[in-house]
Amino acid sequence: IVLRVYDSVNEAEWHRSLLEGEGIWSMIRNEIMSAIYPTGVMPAQLVVRSKDKSKAEEILEAYASE
């Protein structure tokens, strides 16, 4: 499922690496297209398995509050 949507591929990649560091599989949809098109036209989507959604949200929220 789509966990978050980003205008910046770099931020999406950073969050993906945080999740992978915690053992959560994730991928970025529209990675190349969001880099080619202007901001907001084709945003990058961080996707996780539905069973990992709550844990992934906790990880990203913990990072955001630091």
Side-chain angles (χ1 to χ4, degrees):
I1 61 171
V2 177
L3 185 65
R4 298 227 173 132
V5 176
Y6 303 88
D7 288 331
S8 166
V9 175
N10 292 335
E11 186 177 9
E13 285 287 351
W14 175 245
H15 285 178
R16 184 178 67 80
S17 70
L18 289 172
L19 295 178
E20 285 186 356
E22 295 291 330
I24 295 178
W25 175 89
S26 62
M27 67 170 278
I28 299 173
R29 279 193 204 149
N30 304 330
E31 184 174 3
I32 295 171
M33 298 304 280
S34 66
I36 294 172
Y37 286 100
T39 301
V41 173
M42 184 76 65
Q45 299 174 338
L46 182 61
V47 177
V48 298
R49 294 182 182 116
S50 57
K51 69 177 185 169
D52 295 329
K53 180 184 178 197
S54 61
K55 180 66 176 171
E57 287 175 338
E58 287 177 24
I59 292 167
L60 296 182
E61 287 299 318
Y63 170 74
S65 65
E66 289 181 354

